[in-house]
Amino acid sequence: MRKPLIVANWKMYNTVSEASFLVEELIGKIGDISSVEVAIAPPFTALEAVSKILSETDLTLAAQNMYWERAGAFTGEISPVMLRDLTCRFVILGHSERRQFFGDGDGEVALKVEAALAEGLIPILCVGETLGEREYRKTFEVVERQIRGALDGGMPDSGGALIIAYEPIWAIGTGKTASPEAAQEVHCFIRRLLENLLGKGPGGEVRILYGGSVKPDNVRGLMEMQDIDGALVGGASLDAESFTRIVHFK
Ligand code: PEP
């Protein structure tokens, strides 16, 4: 059984006080939930404050990125050790905005995945195709290259130690969502690939999230699909009411 996971990616939004306010509001609105796991990924500057607030709850903490070294002369970077120290359980890696604006390629993502796994952080590995790639029917090829590339440095030792987020780039922040059936087709492909790479048991345990304009009114249809195990939510996670409705998708 794969427990559904809903992750809020706040991107570069919210100061410490705004983040604290929003997370308190979320906790109040979400209430007690045991059937869904919820993680919040604030910007680095708000991790500590959010960590303290979440410590009394079942909600978990995620980071949006990290560097692959444990420590050293790497000005401006954050290490996996630092994220563990702040009680992060997950780290988002290879997000398309990192790939597009900050030069994270498959090689860098592989180093990050390997370092996260070594530190006991669960990578949320983001993959997905551009609109052009979809139109040229390259979706499977792109997603396979990204997943094989990211796992080049080492495989997780269990299915629970890895999360994949399928995020078609044309759906991120655009209001366009893949239909549940179109998303499921790619999730199913990813599942078969993971079963090949990790073995049938572990490959079947990896949670595969969908991301790209997930909203309260489309989440349920997506979550009904066999291989969609949760959502990575950007824009709609910045509003407590919307995010709560997504979490309570059932
Ligand atoms: C994201 O940034 O991972 C994302 C899916 O954003 P949005 O929900 O705004 O499309």
Side-chain angles (χ1 to χ4, degrees), residues 9 11 95 97 126 167 171-175 211-215 232-236:
N9 174 14
K11 310 192 186 202
H95 190 281
E97 287 152 14
C126 300
E167 300 205 302
I172 297 180
T174 59
S213 298
V214 173
K215 305 275 183 264
L232 180 53
V233 186

Side-chain angles (χ1 to χ4, degrees), residues 56-67:
E56 305 290 306
T57 75
D58 290 333
L59 276 64
T60 49
L61 191 64
Q64 297 178 18
N65 182 36
M66 57 166 233
Y67 192 54

Side-chain angles (χ1 to χ4, degrees), residues 121-137:
L121 285 160
I122 302 176
I124 300 176
L125 169 64
C126 300
V127 298
E129 80 286 6
T130 62
L131 188 57
E133 288 164 341
R134 171 156 283 259
E135 283 168 355
Y136 279 96
R137 302 187 185 284

Side-chain angles (χ1 to χ4, degrees), residues 6 28 33 38 47 71 99 105 117 131 137 163 200:
I6 310 286
I33 36 147
V38 179
L47 278 174
R99 294 180 193 260
L117 291 172
L131 188 57
R137 302 187 185 284
I163 310 276
K200 199 154 176 64

